[in-house]
Structures are given as structure tokens and as C-alpha cells.
Amino acid sequence: MQGLRPQELAEIIAIDRKKCKGCDACKAFCPTDAVTGKYGAVHRVDGERCLFCGQCLVNCPFGAPQDTVDIVDKVIARLKDGRTTVVAAIAPAVRVAVGEEFGLEPGALVTGQLLGALQTAGFKILDTNFAADLCIMEEGSELITKIRHYALGEAAGHAPGPLPQFTSCCPAWVRYAELYCPQLLPHMSSAKSPLMMAGALAKTYGATEVWRTNPENVFVVGVMPCTAKKFEASRPEFASAAAYWHKRGSAGSYPDVDVVLTTRDLARLLKKLNINLTAAAEFSDADNPLARYSGAGTIFGNTGGVMEAALRTAHFVITGQELAALELNPVRGLKGVKAAGVTLRDAKTGREITVKVAVVHGIKENLGPIVDEVVAGRSPYHFIEVMNCPGGCVNGGGQPINPMGTSWLDKYKAILPWS
Amino acid sequence: MATYDYVEKAIKITRREFLGVVGVGAAILWTGAYAATDLVQDRTKYIKLRAAGLYRDDAKAAARQSHNNAAVGEMYKKFAGKPLSPLAEELFHTRYVDRSKLGGMRS
Ligand code: SF4
Ligand code: SF4
Ligand code: SF4
């Protein structure tokens, strides 16, 4: 199939013909016009165009689009086999949404119970927030190298990639760029997404330093607000841990991240195991360094969060001082494109630089003009964050739906005479 | 610059279309004002509540900057060296694929 390599998962999102009413609502949310079908007729997803973002799924009023990759039972089998170190890598946005599946208020922050419930189920923890901090160190250093080279005139060993730099943590955005604007690829940060870093780290450092086990026995389960992460995990280049061990004399071939559960999948898994999140014992693994994270790591789940986290660190690295006010309000909130400038005085040279940044969320509505500027070579920015989903990962295609999306029908059913 | 507003993207189903979708009986209850807009606003509310949850998590964190996560510092010290080191490049960085050039079998 065009646009996919043989190993990659295809058709992650498919429309159930029996449920689709042909109402066209999903088309208003699809970033790539991948949904086809005439008004009133059954619609289908064109898997070559699709980013697997799941926005159609969470917005269809009839619950017709399905996530076709169901590996809940496979994960349960691994948890029970007694041989495998099953590591859950939990994304930031899961901890403020999974509670909804257990009757809690939307936005309820349940980190302690979530990690506790996972522990009860038999998982080891690598918080993806830890990997988000790691991502800032890598992606931020990459950005700072470019800024020092292009804007502050510092010589670099070899010319770094061009500015502006784009964030690379959203797999739907990466696939979008790869499919529809490959000329932007040199601008992409080379940093892997936090989940892919988490996988590579779990099967190297995690295996040897934390869980003290054979890397081949480590089974990494991403727990994500996102259906596109299922695709990302299947990309063949994400087998860095196996390559690392290969160089050190052990064979074995395995991906960095074995499978991905969405927030909805995780709730199903816990329910199958009779674990009630709200009654779960709080997490108790204080000596696991991979479960520690900073405030910067956790806001990755919000639009503007990656940018805010990156600027906190860039400020420190360039000026030698912490930002006085950590909340960068211009990059918060739901405005479609948010721009900001932060003036920094370089501690090394004494020169000043205003770092210009932009934040885009909702590819469908807001990406076009920003990309056009970059392609035309007149983008004013140094760093651009892109998240496919409106609002960022908190509104990802793997998040709980009720009482949003599908259930808007349920909501009106409540006032129907026959219900 | 475009202002993001979920309501702008509301699912607009007119009364007539709604009839087609759900049937006459239900449509009687569909007043012009009640609508998808209402439900899409609900969704924006969800986004805001969840986002606020993450900002609360940030505000109460002991360390609020990635470079102050001591466990990350320890990992570099014991294992990867420093950001962008050869090992960091090997494990934490990647390349992209120009998918417009991938051979296709589109029929
Ligand atoms: S929104 Fe749902 S029911 Fe309507 S066309 Fe799309 S998939 Fe079909
Ligand atoms: S998953 Fe995303 S890209 Fe694919 S059809 Fe649905 S909305 Fe469109
Ligand atoms: S914005 Fe987040 S949830 Fe949405 S596709 Fe990107 S990574 Fe996934």
C-alpha cells in the first residue's frame, strides 16, 4: 500500500459499515480528507491518506469508526506468563483522562492510583513523563546547537539542520509531513518521541540498571491517549535497543515498544482484571528512577506544553539562569496558532537573542499558513510545535469518548419519548 | 492568524439532514438551537478540564524543569553520557521517510 512500509500497521482506523449513517460529521475533523463517501451513504477510511489520529473516532456521533488493533488480551497473557518484565510507559495525558472511565470528573489527576493500579496488574513502570524530560534534553540541545550556530554565529562541527526546527513527538504530524510535505523533513527535530525513547531506554538502561533482567524479557507497553502511537510503534527503525545489543554480541530482534494501549484499552484491561482504579492502592516504587518526572515533562500532553518545557530548559542553558516566571501564558490555551518571543542573553558571548516560537494544534484547521512560510523560506520562527489533535494529546484519538463524541447521541436520547 | 475555537467546527446538521439521519420521530425534538454545537462545546470543556489537570500536576511538581529531573541526570551520568552523545544519538534520535516516494500499488 502506498505511503506505508511492509512492517507497518495499516488501517488502524476503520468505519463499521453497520453503524455509519453517512452524516459527514467526521469529515469536518479529518486532517487529510481520508474519509470518503457520499452524504447519506456508508463512509470509509482511505488507509493511504489516513494518519491514524482517531479524530474521526472520537467525534463520530454514531460510534462508527473503530480502532482495529485490540491487543488487550495479549498484554494480559504477558502479565500472567511469569517470565516477562512488562513495562508500562504512561503518557502525560492518560493521567487526567482515564479516571473518566471509572466515573471520575474529567480532568481528575489520578497519577498515584493509575500507577498503583498498573502495579497491581503486574506492570513495572517507566513514566513517559520521564522520557519527556529526556526528550527536552535531546531536542532542546539540538535546538540550542542550531540557535548558537545560525543566530549567535558559533562554529559547529558540521552544519546542523535548518531552522525553524519542528517538534517530532506527534506521530500523526510526522506521518503528515512524510506524506504531504517531505520538503519539511530536514526541519524536523531528529529526536524520537518520548514513547520511542522510553522503549529504547527500557530495553537498555532499564533492563540492566533498574529491573536487572535480560533485555529480551522486557515487554514495553505504551499507554497512550493516541491511536497514531500504534502506528508509530510499528515503524521498523524503532528497534534501537536490539541494534545496541547486537553490537555487544547478543542476537535477538525485537521492537523498542512492543505494543500500545490507548487510554480506553487500558481501562478495558483493568476492568477485565477486576481492578478498580478509584480503589487502587497508591503507587509504591519510590526507588524506581524511571517513574520520576518534572513539571515540564507532564505538560507535554497539552498544546504548547512541549514548547513551554523546551523554553524553560533553553533559557537555563543559554542564560545560565532559571526563568523567573515558569508559566508561559502566550503558548497556553486554545488559540489555533500561538506565537511568542523570549529574549535571552547568551552567558557565553553576552549577545542577546530573541527566540521566536509558534505552536500549532489541530492540523486540519491551523497548519497550512505556518508550513507555507517555512517552505517559502520566510518563516520568522526558530522552533515550531505541532500537535495533530485540537488541544493536544489531552484530546487524542485514544482518549475516553463518553460523554463526548459518540455519546452526544446518548445525551439527546435522554429526552426522547421512547428512551 | 486563525483563532482556534472548537465551536467553529461544530457538526452542523440541519433539521432536514437530521431527519434523514435519525428519523422523523426524533427530529421533532430537534430544535434549531439545541444541537451539536452544544455537544461540541462540551468537548471543549473536556479539553480545558484535562489541560487544567496537567497544569496542576506541573504546579505541584518538586522539579519543574526537565534539566532539574535528577533521575534524568543520573541516567546520563551512568549510561548515555550527555545529550547528543554518540550513544544518545543511537538510542534517542531517528530519521524520517519521504513517503511520497514509497512505491505504491494504488489501483
Ligand atoms: S461521522 Fe460517523 S456516522 Fe457520520 S459519516 Fe462519519 S463515520 Fe459515518
Ligand atoms: S484517523 Fe484521523 S486521518 Fe484517519 S480518517 Fe480518522 S480523522 Fe482522518
Ligand atoms: S496530538 Fe497527541 S494524541 Fe493527537 S495524534 Fe499527536 S501524539 Fe497522538
Side-chain angles (χ1 to χ4, degrees):
Chain A
M1 187 181 273
Q2 197 168 11
L4 288 162
R5 287 171 288 168
Q7 308 88 328
E8 291 172 336
L9 283 180
E11 300 183 335
I12 296 170
I13 306 292
I15 292 174
D16 182 341
R17 329 180 25 91
K18 290 199 214 81
K19 290 188 178 162
C20 179
K21 310 279 185 216
C23 72
D24 273 356
C26 51
K27 288 187 180 174
F29 296 91
C30 178
T32 59
D33 298 328
V35 185
T36 57
K38 285 219 178 67
Y39 178 75
V42 170
H43 287 29
R44 58 174 289 276
V45 173
D46 177 347
E48 294 181 2
R49 304 187 60 82
C50 178
L51 308 179
F52 316 121
C53 69
Q55 282 300 304
C56 53
L57 191 160
V58 292
N59 285 295
C60 168
F62 303 97
Q66 309 290 317
D67 171 352
T68 61
V69 183
D70 179 2
I71 36 77
V72 168
D73 290 333
K74 186 174 166 189
V75 175
I76 292 178
R78 286 303 193 117
L79 286 167
K80 295 201 161 150
D81 74 10
R83 287 178 278 115
T84 312
T85 302
V86 186
V87 176
I90 314 103
V94 176
R95 69 206 67 207
V96 289
V98 68
E100 291 160 34
E101 299 273 4
F102 294 87
L104 298 178
E105 296 267 288
L109 177 65
V110 294
T111 320
Q113 287 125 304
L114 171 59
L115 300 193
L118 286 164
Q119 221 169 19
T120 309
F123 288 96
K124 304 285 185 228
I125 307 294
L126 191 171
D127 202 317
T128 309
N129 288 10
F130 171 97
D133 282 330
L134 171 58
C135 185
I136 287 298
M137 299 310 291
E138 294 294 333
E139 186 166 6
S141 301
E142 187 189 2
L143 176 70
I144 290 162
T145 307
K146 291 180 192 172
I147 288 176
R148 284 201 188 283
H149 181 70
Y150 295 111
L152 294 167
E154 191 174 285
H158 54 91
L163 287 171
Q165 174 172 306
F166 281 100
T167 56
S168 56
C169 34
C170 169
W173 153 236
V174 169
R175 182 166 157 79
Y176 182 92
E178 289 177 330
L179 274 171
Y180 303 108
C181 23
Q183 67 273 43
L184 291 183
L185 295 177
H187 291 267
M188 258 320 162
S189 165
S190 69
K192 290 180 181 175
S193 71
L195 176 62
M196 292 304 128
M197 290 194 189
L201 195 66
K203 295 186 179 188
T204 52
Y205 178 74
T208 53
E209 294 285 331
V210 182
W211 301 298
R212 303 193 189 282
T213 179
N214 184 336
E216 293 187 38
N217 289 339
V218 177
F219 187 78
V220 177
V221 181
V223 181
M224 297 284 130
C226 180
T227 42
K229 288 280 169 191
K230 292 186 172 180
F231 170 74
E232 185 186 39
S234 76
R235 295 178 59 125
E237 62 272 29
F238 295 132
S240 314
Y244 170 91
W245 289 114
H246 208 254
K247 283 189 196 159
R248 284 156 185 80
S250 31
S253 115
Y254 39 85
D256 292 335
V257 173
D258 293 272
V259 292
V260 169
L261 296 171
T262 61
T263 310
R264 294 189 297 272
D265 292 336
L266 175 71
R268 263 196 304 129
L269 179 139
L270 292 176
K271 287 173 184 173
K272 275 195 171 182
L273 294 174
N274 286 319
I275 297 170
N276 180 357
L277 181 89
T278 58
E282 291 264 327
F283 178 62
S284 60
D285 193 2
D287 359 296
N288 177 359
L290 301 178
R292 293 190 205 131
Y293 62 92
S294 79
T298 206
I299 57 177
F300 259 61
N302 287 343
T303 166
V306 178
M307 186 56 73
E308 187 168 338
L311 287 174
R312 289 181 189 176
T313 288
H315 187 280
F316 178 75
V317 174
I318 292 179
T319 68
Q321 279 160 6
E322 299 290 2
L323 258 175
L326 292 177
E327 286 79 11
L328 283 161
N329 290 316
V331 299
R332 295 190 174 192
L334 294 180
K335 206 169 142 231
V337 177
K338 295 168 280 187
V342 181
T343 302
L344 309 173
R345 178 182 290 277
D346 181 16
K348 271 200 211 164
T349 59
R351 289 179 58 182
E352 274 199 354
I353 160 124
T354 299
V355 176
K356 293 195 183 126
V357 304
V359 172
V360 182
H361 62 120
I363 284 184
K364 184 177 180 67
E365 302 286 314
N366 302 314
L367 183 69
I370 290 283
V371 160
D372 293 346
E373 276 178 346
V374 177
V375 172
R378 49 180 170 75
S379 174
Y381 303 114
H382 297 101
F383 195 26
I384 302 173
E385 175 199 295
V386 182
M387 294 193 192
N388 174 76
C389 302
C393 307
V394 287
N395 182 35
Q399 292 284 58
I401 297 168
N402 294 316
M404 305 185 304
T406 305
S407 68
W408 66 255
L409 207 60
D410 298 342
K411 183 166 168 180
Y412 99 82
K413 265 190 204 142
I415 54 168
L416 291 179
W418 58 83
S419 65
Chain B
M1 244 167 233
T3 299
Y4 176 73
D5 184 352
Y6 224 77
V7 177
E8 279 175 14
K9 297 203 298 180
I11 305 160
K12 292 194 187 78
I13 301 181
T14 62
R15 219 185 133 152
R16 184 187 57 79
E17 288 165 345
F18 187 73
L19 243 142
V21 172
V22 185
V24 188
I28 293 166
L29 289 160
W30 184 275
T31 70
Y34 182 79
T37 321
D38 179 39
L39 296 144
V40 175
Q41 269 167 342
D42 270 9
R43 194 170 167 75
T44 305
K45 248 183 257 163
Y46 269 68
I47 297 176
K48 288 184 174 160
L49 286 167
R50 290 174 184 167
L54 288 182
Y55 286 131
R56 276 202 306 283
D57 200 20
D58 169 31
K60 75 180 175 62
R64 295 189 58 191
Q65 302 91 344
S66 300
H67 55 273
N68 291 334
N69 181 341
V72 170
E74 185 187 301
M75 186 282 299
Y76 278 116
K77 210 160 116 203
K78 284 192 185 160
F79 180 64
K82 60 181 177 54
L84 309 183
S85 72
L87 183 55
E89 291 280 355
E90 186 184 326
L91 292 177
F92 308 143
H93 290 258
T94 189
R95 289 170 200 284
Y96 304 99
V97 187
D98 181 347
R99 292 183 187 272
S100 67
K101 294 212 179 78
L102 285 186
M105 301 180 300
R106 188 189 271 272
S107 47

